Amino acid sequence: MRVLMLDDSFEFDGSSTADRPMGGAEKAFANLATALAGRGHEVTAINQCTRRKSVNNVSWLPFDSPRPPETDVLIAFRKPNLLQEQDDHKRRIFWLWGAPKILNQPANQALLEKYDPIIVFTGEANRRAWKSWRDFSEFTIVPGLADAYLGDQVPMPAEPPVAIVTTHPLHNLDAIIDLWQGRIHPKIPGAELHIYSASLAKAASGGEVNKRLAPVFDKAKAAENAGVRLKQPLADSKMVAVYYSARVHLYPVIKDEYYCSTLAESQSCGLPAVVSQFGGVREKFDLAPIYERVQNGLSGYIAPDNDAFVNLSLELLDDDKTMYESLSRDAKILQSDRDWQTVAIDFEKLFK
């Protein structure tokens, strides 16, 4: 099949996943393109890359490039307006990444009505959150994991113990730092909290601080004596070592997040998670995606309140590794069996 994949978000290509840290959406786009090409399809990926390049048999083209003269399948990623790029496709697929409420915007409703694409969601929670005005062809295809996260390495937690945070600083990082500094670190003084944030790490190295991030940056810097460290995110090949050496992944519930890519990756490495519902119990549709990533009580815990968040974190950071070893074992068994070849096969079923 001649497959055209379209994304107009950021600058990256098929080699970027090996060279630098990337967002979950960008990695998904690149990894699916590679997997489809590996299965014999003729794949053209058009996005905001800066030059033409062939990577793993995928033709990567800048967004202003002419479209291929003939295409069998169009996969429009994230934005429904990409569905109108060409008129000769036998199959149109819209691959949603994020909140489905965008589909009910009037302009996007008109595009869905006109092109009647197959709509692909990243999980059942993602699919159930959409209130459609009519029936469309809808499918759930859970994203895969990069090969780096599917190895048979054995977790080797570092000493002193390390907790990590990978979510955006504006997603309750200030609350996590407060609990760490006030209630967790005093009980385990040697423990460290490693915050993986490109913007905060850049600021810590002397770069300009975004005004919106200045309060949380100042709070993180002030907590250095409590073991808080700002870290630059890494490419998958190196980030995997971070997950294998940490003791717990601290993760806040985030409204309108439907896949939680770093949580999927850390779980596949056997890193237990403690998820916090800051601000009280969330609506059930906010929690549903988390339950798809974390097997509550088996691969981590979804803490109902701050006390539970603190106590569970303390137990996972404690010298007695009983809880850590149990959750780590089950996380690796339950969460590390989906590669991008499997995802490509699922997409192929929609090509016919």
Side-chain angles (χ1 to χ4, degrees):
M1 287 283 191
R2 295 164 297 187
V3 180
L4 173 60
M5 298 180 62
L6 291 173
D7 174 50
D8 70 346
S9 56
F10 305 104
E11 182 273 317
F12 67 94
D13 59 47
S15 63
S16 301
T17 56
D19 298 337
R20 68 179 200 239
M22 293 171 60
E26 294 75 48
K27 287 194 286 190
F29 185 88
N31 286 327
L32 178 62
T34 298
L36 288 172
R39 292 185 56 78
H41 299 284
E42 182 182 319
V43 181
T44 301
I46 297 181
N47 72 341
Q48 297 295 345
C49 62
T50 57
R51 61 186 179 89
R52 300 172 67 95
K53 181 187 288 189
S54 178
V55 183
N56 296 321
N57 295 319
V58 177
S59 296
W60 289 85
L61 305 178
F63 199 78
D64 58 1
S65 301
R67 292 353 184 199
E70 294 183 349
T71 303
D72 298 310
V73 179
L74 168 66
I75 301 177
F77 189 51
R78 291 198 271 208
K79 297 182 180 180
N81 66 295
L82 298 175
L83 290 166
Q84 60 191 340
E85 285 290 322
Q86 281 183 304
D87 293 326
D88 64 341
H89 309 295
K90 297 176 183 176
R91 289 285 184 274
R92 274 186 173 80
I93 297 171
F94 176 66
W95 187 10
L96 178 70
W97 194 281
K101 61 187 177 183
I102 67 164
L103 302 180
N104 287 336
Q105 295 172 0
N108 292 336
Q109 283 185 330
L111 289 167
L112 295 181
E113 288 283 0
K114 179 177 180 180
Y115 294 108
D116 195 24
I118 297 170
I119 302 175
V120 173
F121 297 86
T122 56
E124 281 302 306
N126 192 206
R127 184 175 178 176
R128 291 195 302 269
W130 186 35
K131 296 180 180 179
S132 175
W133 63 96
R134 74 166 178 85
D135 289 336
F136 286 91
S137 295
E138 302 174 19
F139 291 87
T140 295
I141 299 181
V142 179
L145 292 159
D147 290 345
Y149 300 111
L150 298 174
D152 57 1
Q153 299 101 310
V154 176
M156 296 290 290
E159 293 293 346
V162 172
I164 67 165
V165 177
T166 58
T167 44
H168 192 280
L170 294 180
H171 291 147
N172 289 302
L173 178 57
D174 56 345
I176 291 176
I177 294 173
D178 285 341
L179 292 175
W180 178 269
Q181 187 173 22
R183 300 180 60 184
I184 298 174
H185 189 262
K187 297 286 183 66
I188 307 180
E192 294 186 356
L193 175 65
H194 293 182
I195 299 168
Y196 285 85
S197 164
S199 52
L200 295 186
K202 181 179 179 181
S205 299
E208 185 176 353
V209 183
N210 183 296
K211 289 182 179 179
R212 296 176 67 212
L213 300 182
V216 72
F217 173 72
D218 292 341
K219 180 168 286 192
K221 291 294 290 180
E224 285 183 345
N225 288 339
V228 174
R229 305 288 182 261
L230 298 177
K231 301 280 188 175
Q232 183 69 38
L234 305 170
D236 288 340
S237 59
K238 295 181 179 179
M239 200 67 195
V240 65
V242 170
Y243 294 140
Y244 274 114
S245 63
R247 197 80 74 80
V248 61
H249 191 170
L250 304 181
Y251 203 94
V253 175
I254 301 169
K255 184 176 176 60
D256 289 338
E257 182 179 45
Y258 283 93
Y259 178 57
C260 318
S261 58
T262 59
L263 193 54
E265 291 164 353
S266 68
Q267 286 275 286
S268 73
C269 295
L271 178 59
V274 175
V275 179
S276 174
Q277 303 173 56
F278 289 113
V281 175
R282 304 277 179 154
E283 297 290 339
K284 62 182 180 181
F285 51 79
D286 287 340
L287 282 173
I290 294 292
Y291 280 101
E292 292 180 344
R293 301 283 78 78
V294 176
Q295 299 282 332
N296 194 32
L298 294 176
S299 67
Y301 284 95
I302 300 172
D305 52 40
N306 287 353
D307 288 342
F309 180 82
V310 168
N311 291 334
L312 290 165
S313 299
L314 285 170
E315 193 159 355
L316 283 165
L317 293 165
D318 191 72
D319 288 341
D320 182 350
K321 297 186 180 68
T322 301
M323 176 187 279
Y324 165 81
E325 290 172 349
S326 174
L327 296 178
S328 176
R329 180 188 63 249
D330 287 347
K332 195 158 179 60
I333 291 172
L334 294 169
Q335 310 286 16
S336 62
D337 62 347
R338 187 164 177 82
D339 60 20
W340 279 100
Q341 290 295 318
T342 303
V343 179
I345 292 170
D346 287 343
F347 268 89
E348 287 175 337
K349 296 172 185 176
L350 310 182
F351 295 176
K352 302 174 182 178

